[in-house]
Amino acid sequence: MKIIKEGPLFYLHSKNMTMIIEEHSGYLFMKYIGRQVKQYHQSNAVVMKDHAFSGNPYPECREFSLDTQRMLIGQHGLGDFRQPSVRIQHGNNDVTDFRYVSHEIKAGVLVSQGLPSPYSQAEDATTLSITLADTVAELELIIHFTVYNTSDAITTFSEVRNVGKERAVIHQLQSVMLDLPKDDYDLITFQGAYAREKTVRRHTLNQGIFRVSSNRGASGHAQTPAAILTHPTTTDDYGEALAIQLIYSGNFELICQQSQLNDVRLSLGINHENFSWTLEAGQQFNSPVALINYSSKGLNDLSQTSHEFITQHIIPEQFAKTARPILVNNWEATYFDFNRDKLLDIAERASELGIELFVLDDGWFGQRKDDNSSLGDWQVNEEKIQGTLAELIAQVKGKGLQFGLWFEPEMISEDSDLYRTHPEWAIQLPERPHTYSRNQLVLNFANPEVVNYMKKLLDDLLSRHEIDYVKWDMNRNITNIGNGQDYAGSMMQTHQYMLGLYSLVEYLTTKHDHILFESCSGGGGRNDLGMMRYFPQVWSSDNTDAISRLQIQHGSSYLHPVISMGAHVSAVPNHQMNRITDLKTRADVAMMGNLGYELDLNLLTDEEKQAVKEQVTRYKILRPIVQFGQQYRLMHTANETAVQFTYEQRVLLTYVKVLSTYEDMETTVKLKGLEEDSLYCLEETDQLYSGAELMYAGLTMDTPRGDFQSLQLLLTKV
Ligand code: GLA
C-alpha cells in the first residue's frame, strides 16, 4: 500500500519519499516530508511547552499552540500567527477552523477541474482525499494528495465547498503548504527578466518572509512558480533537496517564512493580491495543482526526478518521448519583411541541409506589416504570401518539410477588424483608457463568448490546413483588470482568464493531438508546468546568443526536461547581444536543446552551409541522447560550462568556454552516472576509458583557444 492510515497517522509513500500527516482533535499536522520513513513514533514532535505569546485553543493546556505546531494548512485568527495558506471570508470575518471529518484513498490521480493536472496510469498513482469542515463558516475543504510508485513525487491541490446558505469569498488558497522544522536552509529560485530568464538565485534563509510573485496575468520572465528548499551544504551531487512547482501559468506567489522559532513555512499558489473568488451557496472552487519532488542525492538527482516526472505525467503523452523535428524559423531571418518567394527560398535551403520543419513566424495575417496591427485577424494575407495558405503549405511540404505557423491568439490590436467589430472583447476598465504594451491589448478570455469564438476560428484553421506545429505566443502582460467576478463580463480577474485559456488550449490540443505546440511569451515569459501540460515545448528565450543561453539553459535544467526546450542557431552579430560567436559554438549550445535555426540560410557562405548540413546530420544522431537521456550538470562557472547527457550506450559531453584565459587552457571534468567497470570509447580518438576513471579521475581536455569556444565529445560504451 502506498498510502496507509495507522492510528492517527497517514503515511504517504512515493518511490523513495515519505510524507507523514497526523490527525489530532481534528487538527492536521505535517509531521514529516523527505526520505522514506516506514515507522514513525513522534521523534521530531514539537516540544510541549509554553511558548509565550502563542495562542492556545485549550484553556487547560498552555503547552499546545497552533503557532508552534507544524500544520498541514495555515489558518489565521486562532493563534497561528504565521503566513496563512487559506483565507476565506464568511459573514463579517475571515477566520476559519477547518477540522478533519473523513478521508478516502483511491487508485489513480484526480483532475483539478478546469486546470492543468498530471495524468497517470491508475496502478502507478494513489490519491488520499482528506475532507475538513468548519461548521461555523459552513465550509468544507478537501485536500488531495497523490503519490506515485515510479517517482519521488507527490502532487496536491485543494477544493473549497460552500455548504452553507450564505455567500463566502476566498481571498487565499495556496495549492501547497509545507511546515518544516528548524534547520539551516537555502532557497533556490529561478528569476531574471526578458532575455535572461531562469537565472538561478540561491538565498540564505533568515527570520522573516521571502516572497516571489507575479501579478502580470502570466508567470512572467522575471520569476518561475517554483523553488527548491535545500541546505547550504547541498551541491549537485550531495545532500537533500525538495522542489515545489505550481502547475499553473497565471499570477502566483511563493512564500517562504522562517518564523520566530526558526522553523520554515513554504507555500505556493495563486497570488492572493488581486484575487478574490465568490462562492455562492453550493458552489465550489479548486486550486491549481502543485508538484513536490524530493531527493537525498543532491540537486542533480532532484533535477532528474523532476525531468522524469514531467515527461511521464505532464507533457502530453504522445510527445513526451517523441523526437522533436529540427526546424528553421523565419523570424530573425526576415522579421515582417517577407513574401512567398523569400520564404520558399529559405525552405529550399532548409530542405537541402536536412532540416525537417519550416516555421512561418509573425506577419502572415491581416494587414500585419509591423507589430502595430492585425492581432485578432487570423486570415492569411494572400497578397503578401502571393497565394493561399494551403498553397504555401503545399509548396513547403513539396520540399519534404513539415509546416509550422505562429499565432498570438490571446491578443487583439486596436487596428484590427476584430477590434472594430468587438471593441468590448479587449480587457478594459470602464471609463479608463487602455494601457498598451507592444501596442496591443489582451482579449478577455474570462468571457466564454470570446473563448468560443477563438475555439471555432482556430479549430477551423487547423482542420483546413496541414499544420504540424504551432508556435503560440503571448507578447504582453495583463493590465486594466479587476479583482471581482461580477463586472458584466468586461472586468474580471486573471484566474478567470486562465480558466478560459486552459479550456481553449485543452480543446485544441486534444482535437489536434498530432500538432506539436510550442508555448512562447516573448521567449520564456510563461515557461511553467501549466503551459507544459498542453504544449510539449517552450521557446525559452528571445535571446538567441549562445553565451547568454548558457545561463538560461542552466537555469532551465534545474526543473525542466531538455525535451521541453527549443534552442536555435541564429545569425552573427547576434541580434540581441551583438556578439559574434563561431557557428560551431552556436550549434553546440543549441544542440543541448531541441535544435533549430533562426537565420536566413540563403545568406550563409557555401562553407557555412556545409557546416550546417553536418550539424543537422550529427544532431539526428545525437538527438535521442539529448532529448531522451539523463542530463548532468558537470561544471558551471562564470567562464566554463560542461553538460553531460547519457542515453543507453552513449554519452555526450558539451564544454563551452566564454573567454580565453590561461587558467582555463586545460580543464578536467568528472563525468557522472557511468558504469565503473565498463569501457567507453571516445569518438574522436578511439581511446578507451573506464567509467570509473572518467568519473573519479576525470577527463582532461585541451580547451580550444579563443573566446566563445566549445567542444562536443561523444563516448560510446563498448
Ligand atoms: C515574440 C517571440 C519571437 C517572435 C516575435 C514575433 O517576441 O518571442 O520569437 O515570434 O514575438 O512577433
Side-chain angles (χ1 to χ4, degrees), residues 194 329 331-332 335-336 361-363 368 371 406 408 438 471 473-475 520-524 539 541-542 598:
Y194 173 78
N329 177 307
W331 178 241
E332 286 197 19
Y335 295 104
F336 293 100
D361 210 281
D362 194 355
R368 183 96 163 158
D371 59 11
W406 180 96
E408 200 180 351
R438 214 191 191 202
K471 178 174 170 187
D473 216 332
M474 190 232 194
N475 277 317
C520 174
S521 175
W539 177 230
S541 184
D542 272 359
E598 190 165 335

PDB file of all heavy atoms in Angstrom, residues 194 329 331-332 335-336 361-363 368 371 406 408 438 471 473-475 520-524 539 541-542 598, ligand 1:
ATOM      1  N   TYR A 194      13.198  39.592 -19.088  1.00  0.00           N
ATOM      2  CA  TYR A 194      13.136  39.311 -20.520  1.00  0.00           C
ATOM      3  C   TYR A 194      14.573  39.116 -21.036  1.00  0.00           C
ATOM      4  O   TYR A 194      15.469  39.879 -20.685  1.00  0.00           O
ATOM      5  CB  TYR A 194      12.463  40.486 -21.252  1.00  0.00           C
ATOM      6  CG  TYR A 194      12.518  40.345 -22.748  1.00  0.00           C
ATOM      7  CD1 TYR A 194      11.651  39.481 -23.403  1.00  0.00           C
ATOM      8  CD2 TYR A 194      13.459  41.036 -23.502  1.00  0.00           C
ATOM      9  CE1 TYR A 194      11.708  39.317 -24.778  1.00  0.00           C
ATOM     10  CE2 TYR A 194      13.527  40.886 -24.883  1.00  0.00           C
ATOM     11  CZ  TYR A 194      12.655  40.016 -25.517  1.00  0.00           C
ATOM     12  OH  TYR A 194      12.719  39.849 -26.873  1.00  0.00           O
ATOM     13  N   ASN A 329      13.134  28.740 -38.507  1.00  0.00           N
ATOM     14  CA  ASN A 329      12.092  29.737 -38.236  1.00  0.00           C
ATOM     15  C   ASN A 329      12.514  31.027 -38.941  1.00  0.00           C
ATOM     16  O   ASN A 329      13.673  31.421 -38.873  1.00  0.00           O
ATOM     17  CB  ASN A 329      11.986  29.919 -36.713  1.00  0.00           C
ATOM     18  CG  ASN A 329      10.982  30.984 -36.325  1.00  0.00           C
ATOM     19  OD1 ASN A 329      11.042  32.115 -36.804  1.00  0.00           O
ATOM     20  ND2 ASN A 329      10.072  30.643 -35.431  1.00  0.00           N
ATOM     21  N   TRP A 331      11.732  34.138 -38.293  1.00  0.00           N
ATOM     22  CA  TRP A 331      11.623  35.413 -37.570  1.00  0.00           C
ATOM     23  C   TRP A 331      12.892  36.252 -37.684  1.00  0.00           C
ATOM     24  O   TRP A 331      12.909  37.315 -38.290  1.00  0.00           O
ATOM     25  CB  TRP A 331      11.211  35.162 -36.116  1.00  0.00           C
ATOM     26  CG  TRP A 331      11.114  36.422 -35.300  1.00  0.00           C
ATOM     27  CD1 TRP A 331      11.853  36.730 -34.191  1.00  0.00           C
ATOM     28  CD2 TRP A 331      10.245  37.551 -35.523  1.00  0.00           C
ATOM     29  NE1 TRP A 331      11.498  37.960 -33.710  1.00  0.00           N
ATOM     30  CE2 TRP A 331      10.512  38.493 -34.508  1.00  0.00           C
ATOM     31  CE3 TRP A 331       9.285  37.860 -36.473  1.00  0.00           C
ATOM     32  CZ2 TRP A 331       9.857  39.721 -34.422  1.00  0.00           C
ATOM     33  CZ3 TRP A 331       8.619  39.078 -36.391  1.00  0.00           C
ATOM     34  CH2 TRP A 331       8.915  39.987 -35.373  1.00  0.00           C
ATOM     35  N   GLU A 332      13.983  35.761 -37.152  1.00  0.00           N
ATOM     36  CA  GLU A 332      15.200  36.588 -37.200  1.00  0.00           C
ATOM     37  C   GLU A 332      15.773  36.684 -38.615  1.00  0.00           C
ATOM     38  O   GLU A 332      16.645  37.500 -38.888  1.00  0.00           O
ATOM     39  CB  GLU A 332      16.248  36.059 -36.210  1.00  0.00           C
ATOM     40  CG  GLU A 332      15.895  36.376 -34.765  1.00  0.00           C
ATOM     41  CD  GLU A 332      17.066  36.239 -33.802  1.00  0.00           C
ATOM     42  OE1 GLU A 332      18.236  36.256 -34.244  1.00  0.00           O
ATOM     43  OE2 GLU A 332      16.805  36.095 -32.591  1.00  0.00           O
ATOM     44  N   TYR A 335      12.076  39.005 -40.138  1.00  0.00           N
ATOM     45  CA  TYR A 335      11.092  39.755 -39.350  1.00  0.00           C
ATOM     46  C   TYR A 335       9.813  39.868 -40.190  1.00  0.00           C
ATOM     47  O   TYR A 335       9.372  38.846 -40.729  1.00  0.00           O
ATOM     48  CB  TYR A 335      11.671  41.087 -38.864  1.00  0.00           C
ATOM     49  CG  TYR A 335      12.827  40.832 -37.884  1.00  0.00           C
ATOM     50  CD1 TYR A 335      14.171  40.992 -38.268  1.00  0.00           C
ATOM     51  CD2 TYR A 335      12.569  40.373 -36.585  1.00  0.00           C
ATOM     52  CE1 TYR A 335      15.208  40.716 -37.380  1.00  0.00           C
ATOM     53  CE2 TYR A 335      13.609  40.101 -35.693  1.00  0.00           C
ATOM     54  CZ  TYR A 335      14.925  40.271 -36.093  1.00  0.00           C
ATOM     55  OH  TYR A 335      15.940  39.990 -35.222  1.00  0.00           O
ATOM     56  N   PHE A 336       9.247  41.086 -40.343  1.00  0.00           N
ATOM     57  CA  PHE A 336       7.956  41.176 -41.036  1.00  0.00           C
ATOM     58  C   PHE A 336       8.111  41.271 -42.560  1.00  0.00           C
ATOM     59  O   PHE A 336       7.127  41.269 -43.288  1.00  0.00           O
ATOM     60  CB  PHE A 336       7.183  42.408 -40.541  1.00  0.00           C
ATOM     61  CG  PHE A 336       6.747  42.287 -39.108  1.00  0.00           C
ATOM     62  CD1 PHE A 336       7.450  42.911 -38.087  1.00  0.00           C
ATOM     63  CD2 PHE A 336       5.628  41.522 -38.777  1.00  0.00           C
ATOM     64  CE1 PHE A 336       7.048  42.789 -36.772  1.00  0.00           C
ATOM     65  CE2 PHE A 336       5.213  41.398 -37.462  1.00  0.00           C
ATOM     66  CZ  PHE A 336       5.922  42.035 -36.447  1.00  0.00           C
ATOM     67  N   ASP A 361       6.726  32.524 -38.963  1.00  0.00           N
ATOM     68  CA  ASP A 361       6.504  33.287 -37.733  1.00  0.00           C
ATOM     69  C   ASP A 361       5.550  34.448 -37.995  1.00  0.00           C
ATOM     70  O   ASP A 361       4.809  34.466 -38.984  1.00  0.00           O
ATOM     71  CB  ASP A 361       7.866  33.746 -37.168  1.00  0.00           C
ATOM     72  CG  ASP A 361       7.872  33.864 -35.659  1.00  0.00           C
ATOM     73  OD1 ASP A 361       7.371  34.870 -35.145  1.00  0.00           O
ATOM     74  OD2 ASP A 361       8.368  32.942 -34.972  1.00  0.00           O
ATOM     75  N   ASP A 362       5.592  35.428 -37.155  1.00  0.00           N
ATOM     76  CA  ASP A 362       4.688  36.584 -37.170  1.00  0.00           C
ATOM     77  C   ASP A 362       4.671  37.283 -38.536  1.00  0.00           C
ATOM     78  O   ASP A 362       5.696  37.372 -39.216  1.00  0.00           O
ATOM     79  CB  ASP A 362       5.205  37.566 -36.097  1.00  0.00           C
ATOM     80  CG  ASP A 362       4.202  38.634 -35.758  1.00  0.00           C
ATOM     81  OD1 ASP A 362       3.149  38.690 -36.396  1.00  0.00           O
ATOM     82  OD2 ASP A 362       4.496  39.401 -34.824  1.00  0.00           O
ATOM     83  N   GLY A 363       3.468  37.820 -38.911  1.00  0.00           N
ATOM     84  CA  GLY A 363       3.407  38.699 -40.080  1.00  0.00           C
ATOM     85  C   GLY A 363       2.638  38.147 -41.263  1.00  0.00           C
ATOM     86  O   GLY A 363       2.566  38.788 -42.301  1.00  0.00           O
ATOM     87  N   ARG A 368      -0.749  42.836 -41.221  1.00  0.00           N
ATOM     88  CA  ARG A 368       0.374  42.874 -40.285  1.00  0.00           C
ATOM     89  C   ARG A 368       1.684  43.140 -41.022  1.00  0.00           C
ATOM     90  O   ARG A 368       2.300  42.204 -41.553  1.00  0.00           O
ATOM     91  CB  ARG A 368       0.422  41.527 -39.553  1.00  0.00           C
ATOM     92  CG  ARG A 368       1.485  41.418 -38.484  1.00  0.00           C
ATOM     93  CD  ARG A 368       0.942  41.713 -37.144  1.00  0.00           C
ATOM     94  NE  ARG A 368       1.841  41.230 -36.093  1.00  0.00           N
ATOM     95  CZ  ARG A 368       1.825  41.725 -34.870  1.00  0.00           C
ATOM     96  NH1 ARG A 368       0.982  42.679 -34.522  1.00  0.00           N
ATOM     97  NH2 ARG A 368       2.651  41.239 -33.964  1.00  0.00           N
ATOM     98  N   ASP A 371       4.538  45.412 -35.813  1.00  0.00           N
ATOM     99  CA  ASP A 371       3.817  44.855 -34.663  1.00  0.00           C
ATOM    100  C   ASP A 371       2.723  45.789 -34.124  1.00  0.00           C
ATOM    101  O   ASP A 371       2.338  45.697 -32.960  1.00  0.00           O
ATOM    102  CB  ASP A 371       4.794  44.410 -33.559  1.00  0.00           C
ATOM    103  CG  ASP A 371       5.665  45.539 -33.055  1.00  0.00           C
ATOM    104  OD1 ASP A 371       5.387  46.710 -33.394  1.00  0.00           O
ATOM    105  OD2 ASP A 371       6.641  45.255 -32.332  1.00  0.00           O
ATOM    106  N   TRP A 406       2.956  30.486 -36.676  1.00  0.00           N
ATOM    107  CA  TRP A 406       2.923  31.320 -35.465  1.00  0.00           C
ATOM    108  C   TRP A 406       1.531  31.908 -35.253  1.00  0.00           C
ATOM    109  O   TRP A 406       0.885  32.343 -36.205  1.00  0.00           O
ATOM    110  CB  TRP A 406       3.932  32.444 -35.645  1.00  0.00           C
ATOM    111  CG  TRP A 406       4.076  33.434 -34.512  1.00  0.00           C
ATOM    112  CD1 TRP A 406       5.010  33.382 -33.516  1.00  0.00           C
ATOM    113  CD2 TRP A 406       3.336  34.643 -34.308  1.00  0.00           C
ATOM    114  NE1 TRP A 406       4.868  34.481 -32.690  1.00  0.00           N
ATOM    115  CE2 TRP A 406       3.846  35.271 -33.154  1.00  0.00           C
ATOM    116  CE3 TRP A 406       2.276  35.256 -34.975  1.00  0.00           C
ATOM    117  CZ2 TRP A 406       3.356  36.473 -32.656  1.00  0.00           C
ATOM    118  CZ3 TRP A 406       1.769  36.451 -34.485  1.00  0.00           C
ATOM    119  CH2 TRP A 406       2.320  37.053 -33.326  1.00  0.00           C
ATOM    120  N   GLU A 408      -0.826  34.351 -32.180  1.00  0.00           N
ATOM    121  CA  GLU A 408      -0.862  35.001 -30.866  1.00  0.00           C
ATOM    122  C   GLU A 408      -2.333  35.181 -30.476  1.00  0.00           C
ATOM    123  O   GLU A 408      -2.860  36.301 -30.423  1.00  0.00           O
ATOM    124  CB  GLU A 408      -0.107  36.345 -30.910  1.00  0.00           C
ATOM    125  CG  GLU A 408       0.298  36.788 -29.530  1.00  0.00           C
ATOM    126  CD  GLU A 408       1.040  38.117 -29.498  1.00  0.00           C
ATOM    127  OE1 GLU A 408       1.408  38.648 -30.550  1.00  0.00           O
ATOM    128  OE2 GLU A 408       1.243  38.627 -28.380  1.00  0.00           O
ATOM    129  N   ARG A 438       3.514  46.696 -26.414  1.00  0.00           N
ATOM    130  CA  ARG A 438       3.759  46.344 -27.828  1.00  0.00           C
ATOM    131  C   ARG A 438       2.579  46.828 -28.690  1.00  0.00           C
ATOM    132  O   ARG A 438       2.215  46.187 -29.661  1.00  0.00           O
ATOM    133  CB  ARG A 438       3.968  44.840 -28.000  1.00  0.00           C
ATOM    134  CG  ARG A 438       4.973  44.521 -29.106  1.00  0.00           C
ATOM    135  CD  ARG A 438       4.985  43.041 -29.480  1.00  0.00           C
ATOM    136  NE  ARG A 438       6.120  42.749 -30.350  1.00  0.00           N
ATOM    137  CZ  ARG A 438       6.188  41.712 -31.170  1.00  0.00           C
ATOM    138  NH1 ARG A 438       5.214  40.843 -31.250  1.00  0.00           N
ATOM    139  NH2 ARG A 438       7.256  41.522 -31.920  1.00  0.00           N
ATOM    140  N   LYS A 471       3.388  27.687 -33.047  1.00  0.00           N
ATOM    141  CA  LYS A 471       4.087  28.482 -32.035  1.00  0.00           C
ATOM    142  C   LYS A 471       3.060  29.459 -31.475  1.00  0.00           C
ATOM    143  O   LYS A 471       2.582  30.336 -32.196  1.00  0.00           O
ATOM    144  CB  LYS A 471       5.265  29.212 -32.674  1.00  0.00           C
ATOM    145  CG  LYS A 471       6.031  30.107 -31.710  1.00  0.00           C
ATOM    146  CD  LYS A 471       7.275  30.677 -32.396  1.00  0.00           C
ATOM    147  CE  LYS A 471       7.938  31.763 -31.574  1.00  0.00           C
ATOM    148  NZ  LYS A 471       9.022  32.427 -32.309  1.00  0.00           N
ATOM    149  N   ASP A 473       2.147  32.351 -29.145  1.00  0.00           N
ATOM    150  CA  ASP A 473       2.863  33.434 -28.471  1.00  0.00           C
ATOM    151  C   ASP A 473       1.940  34.242 -27.570  1.00  0.00           C
ATOM    152  O   ASP A 473       0.711  34.189 -27.696  1.00  0.00           O
ATOM    153  CB  ASP A 473       3.482  34.347 -29.546  1.00  0.00           C
ATOM    154  CG  ASP A 473       4.834  34.900 -29.131  1.00  0.00           C
ATOM    155  OD1 ASP A 473       5.068  35.047 -27.921  1.00  0.00           O
ATOM    156  OD2 ASP A 473       5.653  35.203 -30.029  1.00  0.00           O
ATOM    157  N   MET A 474       2.509  35.020 -26.686  1.00  0.00           N
ATOM    158  CA  MET A 474       1.751  35.930 -25.815  1.00  0.00           C
ATOM    159  C   MET A 474       2.702  37.070 -25.484  1.00  0.00           C
ATOM    160  O   MET A 474       3.582  36.935 -24.638  1.00  0.00           O
ATOM    161  CB  MET A 474       1.367  35.185 -24.539  1.00  0.00           C
ATOM    162  CG  MET A 474       0.382  35.929 -23.677  1.00  0.00           C
ATOM    163  SD  MET A 474       0.916  36.084 -21.993  1.00  0.00           S
ATOM    164  CE  MET A 474      -0.590  36.591 -21.228  1.00  0.00           C
ATOM    165  N   ASN A 475       2.531  38.187 -26.199  1.00  0.00           N
ATOM    166  CA  ASN A 475       3.568  39.212 -26.148  1.00  0.00           C
ATOM    167  C   ASN A 475       3.265  40.426 -25.285  1.00  0.00           C
ATOM    168  O   ASN A 475       3.790  41.511 -25.531  1.00  0.00           O
ATOM    169  CB  ASN A 475       3.920  39.654 -27.575  1.00  0.00           C
ATOM    170  CG  ASN A 475       4.911  38.687 -28.199  1.00  0.00           C
ATOM    171  OD1 ASN A 475       5.869  38.272 -27.544  1.00  0.00           O
ATOM    172  ND2 ASN A 475       4.679  38.311 -29.428  1.00  0.00           N
ATOM    173  N   CYS A 520       5.177  30.193 -26.135  1.00  0.00           N
ATOM    174  CA  CYS A 520       6.143  31.290 -26.180  1.00  0.00           C
ATOM    175  C   CYS A 520       5.470  32.502 -25.563  1.00  0.00           C
ATOM    176  O   CYS A 520       4.265  32.691 -25.691  1.00  0.00           O
ATOM    177  CB  CYS A 520       6.509  31.559 -27.643  1.00  0.00           C
ATOM    178  SG  CYS A 520       7.573  32.993 -27.882  1.00  0.00           S
ATOM    179  N   SER A 521       6.242  33.309 -24.883  1.00  0.00           N
ATOM    180  CA  SER A 521       5.718  34.589 -24.435  1.00  0.00           C
ATOM    181  C   SER A 521       6.907  35.534 -24.467  1.00  0.00           C
ATOM    182  O   SER A 521       7.605  35.696 -23.473  1.00  0.00           O
ATOM    183  CB  SER A 521       5.134  34.455 -23.024  1.00  0.00           C
ATOM    184  OG  SER A 521       4.742  35.720 -22.554  1.00  0.00           O
ATOM    185  N   GLY A 522       7.182  36.063 -25.654  1.00  0.00           N
ATOM    186  CA  GLY A 522       8.410  36.845 -25.834  1.00  0.00           C
ATOM    187  C   GLY A 522       9.585  36.019 -25.314  1.00  0.00           C
ATOM    188  O   GLY A 522      10.405  36.516 -24.558  1.00  0.00           O
ATOM    189  N   GLY A 523       9.647  34.735 -25.699  1.00  0.00           N
ATOM    190  CA  GLY A 523      10.610  33.796 -25.096  1.00  0.00           C
ATOM    191  C   GLY A 523       9.953  33.153 -23.888  1.00  0.00           C
ATOM    192  O   GLY A 523       8.835  32.673 -23.965  1.00  0.00           O
ATOM    193  N   GLY A 524      10.640  33.197 -22.752  1.00  0.00           N
ATOM    194  CA  GLY A 524      10.195  32.427 -21.585  1.00  0.00           C
ATOM    195  C   GLY A 524       9.315  33.186 -20.611  1.00  0.00           C
ATOM    196  O   GLY A 524       9.456  33.020 -19.402  1.00  0.00           O
ATOM    197  N   TRP A 539       9.588  28.029 -26.085  1.00  0.00           N
ATOM    198  CA  TRP A 539      10.663  28.865 -26.627  1.00  0.00           C
ATOM    199  C   TRP A 539      11.201  29.620 -25.415  1.00  0.00           C
ATOM    200  O   TRP A 539      10.587  30.573 -24.938  1.00  0.00           O
ATOM    201  CB  TRP A 539      10.107  29.779 -27.716  1.00  0.00           C
ATOM    202  CG  TRP A 539      11.098  30.743 -28.299  1.00  0.00           C
ATOM    203  CD1 TRP A 539      10.927  32.084 -28.454  1.00  0.00           C
ATOM    204  CD2 TRP A 539      12.392  30.440 -28.805  1.00  0.00           C
ATOM    205  NE1 TRP A 539      12.047  32.634 -29.026  1.00  0.00           N
ATOM    206  CE2 TRP A 539      12.969  31.647 -29.250  1.00  0.00           C
ATOM    207  CE3 TRP A 539      13.155  29.263 -28.919  1.00  0.00           C
ATOM    208  CZ2 TRP A 539      14.252  31.712 -29.799  1.00  0.00           C
ATOM    209  CZ3 TRP A 539      14.426  29.325 -29.467  1.00  0.00           C
ATOM    210  CH2 TRP A 539      14.956  30.529 -29.900  1.00  0.00           C
ATOM    211  N   SER A 541      13.684  31.586 -24.564  1.00  0.00           N
ATOM    212  CA  SER A 541      14.129  32.980 -24.511  1.00  0.00           C
ATOM    213  C   SER A 541      14.219  33.561 -25.911  1.00  0.00           C
ATOM    214  O   SER A 541      14.596  32.858 -26.856  1.00  0.00           O
ATOM    215  CB  SER A 541      15.502  33.080 -23.855  1.00  0.00           C
ATOM    216  OG  SER A 541      15.859  34.439 -23.726  1.00  0.00           O
ATOM    217  N   ASP A 542      13.920  34.840 -26.036  1.00  0.00           N
ATOM    218  CA  ASP A 542      14.169  35.527 -27.305  1.00  0.00           C
ATOM    219  C   ASP A 542      15.658  35.780 -27.487  1.00  0.00           C
ATOM    220  O   ASP A 542      16.097  36.182 -28.561  1.00  0.00           O
ATOM    221  CB  ASP A 542      13.443  36.885 -27.326  1.00  0.00           C
ATOM    222  CG  ASP A 542      12.022  36.736 -27.857  1.00  0.00           C
ATOM    223  OD1 ASP A 542      11.632  35.613 -28.206  1.00  0.00           O
ATOM    224  OD2 ASP A 542      11.308  37.753 -27.918  1.00  0.00           O
ATOM    225  N   GLU A 598      17.451  29.897 -36.868  1.00  0.00           N
ATOM    226  CA  GLU A 598      16.614  31.091 -36.988  1.00  0.00           C
ATOM    227  C   GLU A 598      17.452  32.185 -37.637  1.00  0.00           C
ATOM    228  O   GLU A 598      17.901  33.122 -36.983  1.00  0.00           O
ATOM    229  CB  GLU A 598      16.100  31.492 -35.598  1.00  0.00           C
ATOM    230  CG  GLU A 598      15.042  32.566 -35.679  1.00  0.00           C
ATOM    231  CD  GLU A 598      14.236  32.752 -34.399  1.00  0.00           C
ATOM    232  OE1 GLU A 598      14.122  31.805 -33.596  1.00  0.00           O
ATOM    233  OE2 GLU A 598      13.735  33.870 -34.201  1.00  0.00           O
TER     234      GLU A 598
HETATM  235  C1  GLA B   1       7.918  37.183 -29.747  1.00  0.00           C
HETATM  236  C2  GLA B   1       8.605  35.847 -29.873  1.00  0.00           C
HETATM  237  C3  GLA B   1       9.542  35.870 -31.058  1.00  0.00           C
HETATM  238  C4  GLA B   1       8.758  36.183 -32.306  1.00  0.00           C
HETATM  239  C5  GLA B   1       8.040  37.501 -32.138  1.00  0.00           C
HETATM  240  C6  GLA B   1       7.121  37.774 -33.294  1.00  0.00           C
HETATM  241  O1  GLA B   1       8.783  38.182 -29.357  1.00  0.00           O
HETATM  242  O2  GLA B   1       9.264  35.520 -28.712  1.00  0.00           O
HETATM  243  O3  GLA B   1      10.188  34.620 -31.179  1.00  0.00           O
HETATM  244  O4  GLA B   1       7.850  35.151 -32.567  1.00  0.00           O
HETATM  245  O5  GLA B   1       7.247  37.512 -30.956  1.00  0.00           O
HETATM  246  O6  GLA B   1       6.451  38.977 -33.161  1.00  0.00           O
END
